[in-house]
Amino acid sequence: MKNPILPLAAVLMAGAMSLVSCDSDSPYVPNPDAPARSNGAYVLTQGNFSHVPGALYAVDYATSSVTAEAFQKANGISLGDSPQCGVCYGSKLYLGVSESNCIFVCDKNTFKVINTIRLNNSKNGQKPRSMVATGGKVYVAMYDGYVVRMDTTSTVIEKSVKVGPNPELMGLYENKLYVPNSDGENYPNYGTTASVIDLDSFSVTATITVPMNPYQFEANNTGLYLLAKGNYSDVTSKIYKMEGIDFKEVADATIMTLDKDLIYYVNAPFYGDRATEYKVYNPANKQSKVLSFPDVQYPSNMVVDRVAGKLFVSSYVMDGQYPSYVAPGYLNEYDMNLNLLHKYDIGAGPTCIFFNQD
């Protein structure tokens, strides 16, 4: 993986950091659109460039069933190459497909396409990477260094803002978007910045220094957290908590998901023979507890549905000693006591999980 951006002058960086001090004792301001009900889960499978197209799978909580390849069945066309992100907001689904370079807007019940936004040669950015929805808008991070704002009534891109190179999974915290600029296409010189976007003005109000190769921001009642991947060698992948202008280490991890007050995480080191570890961290006492997921072969993601009180782990299947990126994977649904409720067969590369909430 690689990524591109020019370093900021130190004096500008220092000034920017002073603007976004995040007091760990300040109360968490939740998403004003926080849903009251959760009806199901969606999984985007990335597929494989040369063998398998990506697909959308829809899990219905009421029937404990999954609709396979829901987009293709509804529209008679493939979802495309390497779906990366999705969000359900209001009555619509927004699906970002990176290598096909488009965003599909669909009816969340029928999966029929309402609008297709083609991004080739777009001045608003290309290759959608992550999405956040709030305040009647959908925000999309584009991997070539932009964040765009979509209007949910007209379903068009109405504005874009330049951020750092190769933004990854954005997080919403106190009416701001925190955008991790991984600079992943500049291997091995990964990025160490994040862009902070004020939602009212939709402008970058600060660029802050963060740990190497920032990947995912997420917030809960206890604050704002960052998963930074490091360099896949001597700088390990870790979770950090933002405190003021500093980022304090929480745990070694490669996957992170937050419940209301807890942090669930996976540590599957990229090198060496260490076994995959599953843990939950309690910020109140700063203690971690070991968890067990014997039904998971090789985790591709872990996500908590905070509204329904469910935890999902998606997995590749093993091909000998290694995970298969072409064989169908699966999705396990657990209650918050980690009892396995259901296992769903899913397509190849089940990496993006989000929820049908209202």
Side-chain angles (χ1 to χ4, degrees), residues 164-219:
N166 310 130
E168 298 281 356
L169 279 61
M170 303 181 293
L172 178 65
Y173 187 69
E174 298 182 335
N175 202 45
K176 293 180 175 63
L177 274 179
Y178 286 78
V179 184
N181 302 314
S182 71
D183 208 2
E185 292 184 341
N186 195 25
Y187 168 87
N189 301 309
Y190 293 107
T192 56
T193 71
S195 301
V196 184
I197 298 175
D198 176 75
L199 294 186
D200 291 335
S201 63
F202 192 55
S203 61
V204 174
T205 56
T207 302
I208 59 175
T209 299
V210 299
M212 180 185 288
N213 198 4
Y215 175 73
Q216 174 190 2
F217 278 106
E218 191 171 348

Side-chain angles (χ1 to χ4, degrees), residues 5 198 297 320:
I5 194 176
D198 176 75
Q297 295 181 52

Side-chain angles (χ1 to χ4, degrees), residues 154-176:
S154 63
T155 69
V156 299
I157 294 173
E158 58 184 16
K159 192 175 181 181
S160 66
V161 62
K162 179 73 173 172
V163 292
N166 310 130
E168 298 281 356
L169 279 61
M170 303 181 293
L172 178 65
Y173 187 69
E174 298 182 335
N175 202 45
K176 293 180 175 63

Side-chain angles (χ1 to χ4, degrees), residues 43-57 68-69 79-84 298 300 314-317 323-331 344-352:
V43 182
L44 286 174
T45 60
Q46 291 186 345
N48 178 281
F49 291 129
S50 58
H51 298 89
V52 184
L56 172 69
Y57 290 72
E69 299 182 341
L79 183 54
D81 293 331
S82 194
Q84 291 288 321
Y298 194 94
S300 56
S314 57
S315 180
Y316 300 102
V317 297
S324 172
Y325 298 103
V326 295
Y330 56 92
L331 177 74
Y344 305 100
D345 293 328
I346 302 292
T351 54
C352 177

Side-chain angles (χ1 to χ4, degrees), residues 59-290:
V59 174
D60 185 339
Y61 290 165
T63 61
S64 299
S65 62
V66 60
T67 300
E69 299 182 341
F71 179 92
Q72 182 174 351
K73 289 177 179 177
N75 298 287
I77 59 173
S78 167
L79 183 54
D81 293 331
S82 194
Q84 291 288 321
C85 53
V87 68
C88 177
Y89 191 62
S91 62
K92 302 181 183 76
L93 289 178
Y94 300 79
L95 308 175
V97 189
S98 176
E99 295 308 308
S100 294
N101 210 15
C102 67
I103 298 170
F104 290 109
V105 184
C106 308
D107 183 281
K108 78 171 186 178
N109 296 312
T110 67
F111 310 112
K112 287 283 190 179
V113 172
I114 298 169
N115 189 22
T116 302
I117 302 170
R118 301 292 178 186
L119 299 168
N120 293 327
N121 302 314
S122 169
K123 295 181 180 179
N124 293 312
Q126 301 186 61
K127 297 192 174 183
R129 183 68 183 96
S130 68
M131 294 181 174
V132 172
T134 186
K137 309 293 182 182
V138 171
Y139 300 89
V140 187
M142 302 293 190
Y143 203 61
D144 65 343
Y146 290 85
V147 172
V148 305
R149 185 177 70 194
M150 293 181 61
D151 179 74
T152 56
T153 301
S154 63
T155 69
V156 299
I157 294 173
E158 58 184 16
K159 192 175 181 181
S160 66
V161 62
K162 179 73 173 172
V163 292
N166 310 130
E168 298 281 356
L169 279 61
M170 303 181 293
L172 178 65
Y173 187 69
E174 298 182 335
N175 202 45
K176 293 180 175 63
L177 274 179
Y178 286 78
V179 184
N181 302 314
S182 71
D183 208 2
E185 292 184 341
N186 195 25
Y187 168 87
N189 301 309
Y190 293 107
T192 56
T193 71
S195 301
V196 184
I197 298 175
D198 176 75
L199 294 186
D200 291 335
S201 63
F202 192 55
S203 61
V204 174
T205 56
T207 302
I208 59 175
T209 299
V210 299
M212 180 185 288
N213 198 4
Y215 175 73
Q216 174 190 2
F217 278 106
E218 191 171 348
N220 68 1
N221 294 337
T222 68
L224 179 65
Y225 295 84
L226 169 67
L227 176 64
K229 296 282 191 172
N231 63 5
Y232 307 99
S233 181
D234 59 311
V235 180
T236 58
S237 185
K238 294 179 182 289
I239 298 169
Y240 300 84
K241 183 179 181 183
M242 188 174 181
E243 296 184 352
I245 62 171
D246 298 321
F247 285 83
K248 304 294 186 181
E249 291 186 15
V250 172
D252 288 346
T254 54
I255 297 173
M256 171 183 78
T257 184
L258 276 59
D259 198 356
K260 296 173 184 176
D261 300 295
L262 302 173
I263 302 170
Y264 291 82
Y265 63 96
V266 181
N267 191 33
F270 299 99
Y271 296 105
D273 56 2
R274 287 181 55 189
T276 298
E277 298 176 334
Y278 302 88
K279 293 183 179 180
V280 58
Y281 174 78
N282 186 343
N285 59 21
K286 299 184 178 180
Q287 298 294 315
S288 289
K289 177 183 176 182
V290 175

